[in-house]
Amino acid sequence: QECSPAFFVLENVKMPDKYANAISRALGVNYICINSSLVSAQQRTRYYWTNIPNVATIQDKGIVIRDILSDVGPYRYWTQNQIYKMHKKQYRGALANRVENIDGKCRCLLANDGNLFRPKIWDSVGLRWLTPLEWERLQTIPDNYTHMLSRTQRYKQIGNAFTVDVIVHILQHMENTDAKR
């Protein structure tokens, strides 16, 4: 209300209706629920509030993890001994619960994902984490956009990011709108 923008977009995680409806009342617009899985290989359900009119449904591109994999080159794979030790520790099953099916969608990326819960895949060589480049692709960020950061910071920044193609979809609806509103 203070800055009276011509347009705005607010994004937040999926939440109970009472909170989402309170935000809707404060902003004067209803939220739109969009899952990034429509434009990427990642399950990432988010609520979006915008005063941009006529934001339509996104068409499903049918992208799966296999589509975003890169040639990882000399990447560190888990040894059989490491896999065995992981299963023996207190987190039994945590490893298995975070190995993604490359013909499906990846779970939502998180900014504070520790190594234990960072998504992993079995590829033709063995078990490995998804690389920062692959995380960028899951968020539809251009390849190597975060290359100047350390690996840890790349994972954090990408996990905190918007799914770019969802935002592009929303903003495209401004093209036929009078910006002076």
Side-chain angles (χ1 to χ4, degrees):
Q1 290 172 342
E2 286 181 32
C3 60
S4 300
F7 299 106
F8 68 84
V9 177
L10 173 71
E11 178 258 10
N12 210 328
V13 297
K14 189 174 177 180
M15 62 187 75
D17 284 344
K18 70 178 186 177
Y19 302 118
N21 292 335
I23 294 170
S24 292
R25 282 190 301 278
L27 295 174
V29 296
N30 290 323
Y31 65 87
I32 304 163
C33 182
I34 299 175
N35 190 334
S36 296
S37 69
L38 296 170
V39 296
S40 76
Q42 174 191 191
Q43 294 286 348
R44 190 179 185 90
T45 302
R46 294 291 185 266
Y47 287 169
Y48 296 88
W49 289 264
T50 184
N51 64 343
I52 300 169
N54 304 317
V55 175
T57 308
I58 299 176
Q59 294 296 329
D60 189 347
K61 294 182 178 180
I63 300 169
V64 295
I65 295 173
R66 180 183 303 280
D67 300 325
I68 60 93
L69 296 180
S70 62
D71 176 17
V72 297
Y75 195 75
R76 182 176 163 262
Y77 283 85
W78 291 36
T79 66
Q80 288 299 321
N81 192 34
Q82 288 171 316
I83 294 168
Y84 175 76
K85 284 180 181 178
M86 183 63 74
H87 278 291
K88 293 284 286 179
K89 287 190 177 182
Q90 63 188 10
Y91 347 101
R92 254 176 238 261
L95 174 66
N97 291 337
R98 288 303 278 186
V99 175
E100 308 295 337
N101 176 349
I102 64 172
D103 291 317
K105 303 285 187 175
C106 182
R107 296 175 200 198
C108 183
L109 302 178
L110 302 174
N112 61 353
D113 245 357
N115 285 344
L116 175 63
F117 296 104
R118 187 174 294 156
K120 301 162 192 65
I121 61 163
W122 287 99
D123 66 11
S124 59
V125 177
L127 180 66
R128 67 173 178 87
W129 283 295
L130 292 174
T131 66
L133 172 64
E134 291 162 341
W135 273 45
E136 287 171 337
R137 290 175 179 175
L138 288 170
Q139 286 285 59
T140 65
I141 295 171
D143 282 5
N144 293 308
Y145 187 79
T146 61
H147 75 279
M148 76 294 294
L149 302 172
S150 70
R151 183 183 308 218
T152 299
Q153 287 304 312
R154 287 180 82 178
Y155 284 123
K156 286 181 181 181
Q157 296 303 315
I158 297 165
N160 261 336
F162 289 121
T163 303
V164 173
D165 285 2
V166 171
I167 301 303
V168 167
H169 170 77
I170 293 170
L171 295 179
Q172 282 177 341
H173 289 83
M174 289 174 39
E175 290 178 352
N176 298 324
T177 306
D178 180 13
K180 294 181 180 180
R181 292 181 53 174

